[in-house]
Amino acid sequence: MKQTQTHRFSVAPMMDWTDRHCRSFHRLLTRRARLYTEMVTTGAVLHGQRDRLLGFDAAEHPVAAQLGGSDPADLAAAARICADFGYDEINLNAGCPSKRVQNGAFGACLMREPQLVGECVSAMKAAVDVPVTVKCRIGVDEQEPREALFAFAETVLAAGADALIVHARKAWLEGLSPKDNRHIPPLDYALVHELKRRFPDRPIAINGGLDTIDAMRAQLDHVDGVMIGRAAYQDPALLLEVDPVFFGEDAPFSEMAQAIEAFTPYIAARLSEGVPLNAMARHLLGAFNGRPGARAFRRHLATESVKPGAGLEVLRAALALIGSRAGEDQAMAAE
């Protein structure tokens, strides 16, 4: 598959969201979308519990590991470990605006240091045989976006980055919270489109604010791929449209209930290992958004899955509420 095709559609790395349970569920909804881990710092990879941090199910392929760090040697060593685990791609985070990454001088802070990012990419490329990619913003704080983004892209791509994924907003490291940074800075899709015209032979994907299949598909007239985040998590039924719309293939399932039924063996296996139900059920809460009974489903699953000993019977009872107006009315009355 051409490199541009590998990033045609992907689900963004999201802290506290895209863990291995989430990815296993999403993989049931789309065979072809590329999935990403939560960001893992180089320190955690080098010194932490690697099986817990990096372990994943083979069914998740194609799946990429996202690393956070700014030391080329540490990133090279961490990338090698991730590649040995079997990840299909190693991605460097140069876009996260959280206080945690600011304190560690990585994430979006790296937009100010393209030469350093180039050194990091070169070191990672020398360490692994899988693609090394970078996810960035269009700038930070008072940077002029076009100047910052083009200088960053020029350096990083020259260093060998196999693809650039651009969140089409600035990051404000001073004055905005990480949550606000996801929606307050204005989107500038046109700038990312211009970047692609500047680098016509290099894979460029776009991220930020895309919440409908039509809007996502329209971006492919300008860039090589789209990456979505909250939309995939809050309304995962969108992912059932990915394979037909973006890859010309049948969806794995015709409806969400079938996908959740297919997810139950995974849930049962994790329950037998001592994983609490809510660790997996929380990723299903948005599964039926907009359908009759969705609120009752969400409420039952959220309240019952956290109870000690909760098992598959909780999920089945929640599923029985889908399509039930009576269940919806009961949920609304209880709020």
Side-chain angles (χ1 to χ4, degrees):
M1 186 183 301
K2 294 181 179 179
Q3 180 65 19
T4 53
Q5 286 292 305
T6 64
H7 292 91
R8 187 171 175 83
F9 192 99
S10 57
V11 178
M14 292 178 282
M15 294 299 295
D16 300 320
W17 288 7
T18 51
D19 61 19
R20 62 189 305 178
H21 310 310
C22 175
R23 298 192 307 268
S24 293
F25 174 51
H26 284 178
R27 179 55 69 217
L28 289 171
L29 306 178
T30 165
R31 300 182 184 95
R32 296 293 299 276
R34 178 155 290 221
L35 306 179
Y36 284 75
T37 68
E38 304 168 89
M39 182 189 69
V40 186
T41 65
T42 53
V45 172
L46 297 178
H47 308 295
Q49 298 178 5
R50 294 173 187 169
D51 287 339
R52 179 181 64 81
L53 291 167
L54 298 175
F56 68 96
D57 193 287
E60 294 176 38
H61 289 294
V63 59
Q66 187 185 67
L67 293 175
S70 58
D71 180 87
D74 286 351
L75 280 164
R80 189 177 303 112
I81 290 168
C82 291
D84 288 344
F85 264 81
Y87 284 97
D88 300 295
E89 170 194 330
I90 313 299
N91 178 264
L92 175 61
N93 185 321
C96 179
S98 73
K99 290 296 184 184
R100 176 188 180 194
V101 303
Q102 291 183 53
N103 292 338
F106 58 98
C109 300
L110 292 176
M111 290 299 300
R112 297 193 185 105
E113 301 188 68
Q115 292 299 327
L116 174 58
V117 178
E119 293 172 14
C120 292
V121 168
S122 294
M124 295 164 73
K125 289 284 292 182
V128 300
D129 294 326
V130 298
V132 172
T133 64
V134 177
K135 187 171 187 290
C136 67
R137 293 278 184 137
I138 62 173
V140 294
D141 295 337
E142 299 302 331
Q143 285 183 325
E144 195 285 312
R146 189 182 186 282
E147 180 181 336
L149 177 61
F150 278 56
F152 184 88
E154 185 85 45
T155 302
V156 170
L157 292 172
D162 293 288
L164 195 63
I165 303 159
V166 185
H167 186 155
R169 304 180 198 269
K170 259 191 179 185
W172 285 95
L173 304 181
E174 298 293 335
L176 289 182
S177 69
K179 180 179 179 180
D180 288 340
N181 261 294
R182 292 196 293 266
H183 62 88
I184 289 179
L187 287 158
D188 192 346
Y189 295 146
L191 181 60
V192 185
H193 301 166
E194 183 183 351
L195 181 73
K196 175 58 190 175
R197 293 193 296 272
R198 171 66 179 80
F199 297 99
D201 299 323
R202 309 303 295 274
I204 305 290
I206 198 166
N207 170 235
L210 299 168
D211 57 7
T212 69
I213 289 292
D214 286 345
M216 299 165 199
R217 177 64 186 84
Q219 287 293 328
L220 295 185
D221 293 336
H222 307 283
V223 292
D224 301 300
V226 296
M227 173 181 277
I228 68 169
R230 287 169 291 159
Y233 193 87
Q234 295 168 355
D235 187 12
L238 281 172
L239 297 179
L240 286 172
E241 300 183 62
V242 168
D243 291 1
V245 172
F246 292 89
F247 298 98
E249 300 176 2
D250 291 339
F253 299 97
S254 60
E255 60 181 45
M256 180 59 73
Q258 294 173 341
I260 291 180
E261 185 61 35
F263 192 43
T264 57
Y266 176 92
I267 295 176
R270 302 292 82 76
L271 288 171
S272 70
E273 296 167 356
V275 177
L277 178 64
N278 70 294
M280 295 161 284
R282 68 190 185 96
H283 302 302
L284 308 180
L285 295 179
F288 296 99
N289 274 350
R291 287 186 53 180
R295 185 182 303 214
F297 169 85
R298 186 167 57 248
R299 184 182 184 87
H300 184 84
L301 201 56
T303 57
E304 298 299 318
S305 67
V306 298
K307 295 181 178 179
L312 284 174
E313 72 284 349
V314 170
L315 177 57
R316 298 199 184 283
L319 285 169
L321 297 170
I322 294 301
S324 168
R325 288 289 185 187
E328 191 80 357
D329 292 342
Q330 291 170 10
M332 292 178 69
E335 293 182 353

